[in-house]
Amino acid sequence: GNSVTQMEGPVTLSEEAFLTINCTYTATGYPSLFWYVQYPGEGLQLLLKATKADDKGSNKGFEATYRKETTSFHLEKGSVQVSDSAVYFCALSDPWGGGADGLTFGKGTHLIIQP
Amino acid sequence: EAGVVQSPRYKIIEKKQPVAFWCNPISGHNTLYWYLQNLGQGPELLIRYENEEAVDDSQLPKDRFSAERLKGVDSTLKIQPAELGDSAVYLCASSLDRTYEQYFGPGTRLTVT
């Protein structure tokens, strides 16, 4: 079946530091990959996505590249801000892969940015 | 454009009591999902609707959980009776169809005492 593995948190960084949150996946078909962000007290928001190999998703200074050869979709940002503190979820959707429908999520990575 | 609306936002009940959650998806979105999110975990799919038809409910514990989506718009998820282990956040999401990205509501946080 499909699965997503992402690095355990919490991840604590200083403001303006470089961020990487690792995410790897297992899928039966050709999935689309997503990063969702959950700010305290709020619902999940789509941060970025990539629908095929070598695609790069980007938004709000965050980037992630769909690497089929390493089955990875690592999230990066060059200079983090305190306002980036949140929980980040890597997810995949594989509607044509014959597995369960809906998104398959990782466990989430809690990011804490200190001023 | 209004987002996915869920109510209530918080619910506290005693075990063995019934509880219901309501979801109003984004207008025009044919696909509706209910997810369960336990503390410190990612959401897990409970059920998916295409219009008014439940097309994937394999993860829904049918002995105590039920769901409906009348007229293919709003949806209700019910638990009867609730157990302590049902304490979690219940998320609703919608999309144009199963191949498009999903938009999530704020969730209902259920506490069973």
Side-chain angles (χ1 to χ4, degrees):
Chain A
N2 298 334
S3 67
V4 174
T5 302
Q6 59 182 107
M7 60 192 295
E8 298 282 330
V11 173
T12 303
L13 296 173
S14 297
E15 204 166 19
E16 299 183 1
F18 184 86
L19 168 71
T20 299
I21 301 178
N22 290 335
C23 171
T24 57
Y25 68 90
T26 303
T28 54
Y30 300 92
S32 295
L33 302 174
F34 305 84
W35 277 100
Y36 279 83
V37 59
Q38 190 170 37
Y39 297 102
E42 298 184 15
L44 287 163
Q45 300 176 25
L46 178 64
L47 181 60
L48 53 84
K49 67 175 183 179
T51 57
K52 60 183 187 298
D54 299 325
D55 268 2
K56 177 185 282 188
S58 61
N59 186 27
K60 298 181 181 180
F62 290 89
E63 293 183 340
T65 301
Y66 189 147
R67 302 285 189 200
K68 188 167 183 245
E69 64 276 16
T70 55
T71 62
S72 65
F73 193 55
H74 305 323
L75 183 68
E76 297 182 335
K77 186 175 185 183
S79 176
V80 293
Q81 305 300 313
V82 172
S83 57
D84 294 327
S85 298
V87 181
Y88 292 81
F89 291 92
C90 184
L92 72 81
S93 174
D94 189 15
W96 311 119
D101 284 324
L103 289 162
T104 300
F105 284 88
K107 291 186 176 182
T109 301
H110 187 193
L111 175 66
I112 301 170
I113 307 301
Q114 297 177 333
Chain B
E1 178 183 276
V4 177
V5 179
Q6 291 187 249
S7 68
R9 290 293 309 276
Y10 305 91
K11 188 73 176 178
I12 300 174
I13 61 171
E14 294 182 347
K15 63 182 180 182
K16 300 185 182 180
Q17 295 301 306
V19 65
F21 315 124
W22 175 80
C23 173
N24 178 243
I26 293 173
S27 177
H29 281 196
N30 296 321
T31 307
L32 184 145
Y33 308 79
W34 283 102
Y35 288 85
L36 166 68
Q37 186 177 16
N38 287 305
L39 186 64
Q41 303 292 317
E44 299 174 6
L45 181 70
L46 288 173
I47 189 168
R48 174 174 71 90
Y49 280 92
E50 292 292 342
N51 298 303
E52 67 275 9
E53 183 182 359
V55 294
D56 184 1
D57 62 355
S58 57
Q59 304 303 312
L60 191 72
K62 298 181 183 60
D63 57 335
R64 297 183 300 107
F65 286 66
S66 64
E68 61 182 9
R69 191 183 183 196
L70 298 177
K71 300 181 181 179
V73 182
D74 295 358
S75 178
T76 303
L77 178 68
K78 298 178 182 178
I79 308 175
Q80 182 170 7
E83 298 178 353
L84 293 176
D86 296 332
S87 295
V89 176
Y90 292 82
L91 296 167
C92 180
S94 70
S95 62
L96 282 171
D97 68 31
R98 65 192 295 225
T99 63
Y100 285 81
E101 58 260 36
Q102 297 176 32
Y103 295 85
F104 284 80
T108 297
R109 182 177 296 277
L110 174 66
T111 302
V112 182
T113 64

